[in-house]
Amino acid sequence: MIKGIGTDIIELSRIAKVNKKDRLAGRVLSPEEYLKYESLTAEARKIEFLAGRFAVKEAYSKALGSGIGGNISFKEICCVNDSSGKPVLKNDSNAHISISHSKDYAVAMVILEVN
């Protein structure tokens, strides 16, 4: 049974504009996500990664029904890739997520299931 659904879309240019000196990355990414972010060498890929993770966290908080800052913070949500490359949330095995990127946008969708 579905417990909640959330979606978010973000402009890559907006993320790039506010991420001067990795400031947004430091505020939004969990320590594990930040290590992955730092390992990326191309600036465009770093922005794409950050925007995707930002969108996942917003979508997840919407699926929970609380929004960011209500009952959960950005850094409490950790999105990693499993062995096949699929994005998963470390803190919620009942969450199904999808991230997509285009030239200008990143979008994420989260579906939460009830056990």
Side-chain angles (χ1 to χ4, degrees):
M1 178 192 295
I2 294 176
K3 177 182 172 183
I5 299 172
T7 188
D8 193 65
I9 185 168
I10 187 77
E11 300 95 348
L12 298 181
S13 61
R14 183 174 165 211
I15 293 294
K17 184 177 181 179
V18 298
N19 192 45
K20 302 298 182 212
K21 298 184 181 180
D22 298 325
R23 183 173 175 210
L24 182 65
R27 289 182 41 218
V28 170
L29 300 176
S30 71
E32 189 170 348
E33 291 168 322
Y34 196 85
L35 284 174
K36 172 69 176 174
Y37 170 83
E38 282 187 315
S39 75
L40 302 171
T41 55
E43 191 61 31
R45 180 64 188 114
K46 289 175 90 169
I47 294 303
E48 186 179 80
F49 177 87
L50 178 56
R53 291 322 193 254
F54 183 91
V56 163
K57 292 167 189 246
E58 287 284 345
Y60 180 67
S61 72
K62 291 172 185 176
L64 290 173
S66 64
I68 293 293
N71 295 325
I72 196 161
S73 70
F74 281 118
K75 288 190 174 189
E76 290 177 290
I77 305 165
C78 183
C79 179
V80 296
N81 297 87
D82 70 10
S83 60
S84 66
K86 175 183 164 185
V88 295
L89 294 181
K90 281 187 80 172
N91 56 315
D92 194 335
S93 61
N94 294 317
H96 304 277
I97 68 174
S98 179
I99 306 169
S100 189
H101 309 90
S102 72
K103 178 182 171 191
D104 298 316
Y105 297 95
V107 64
M109 180 168 203
V110 175
I111 298 173
L112 297 179
E113 278 188 304
V114 176
N115 280 341

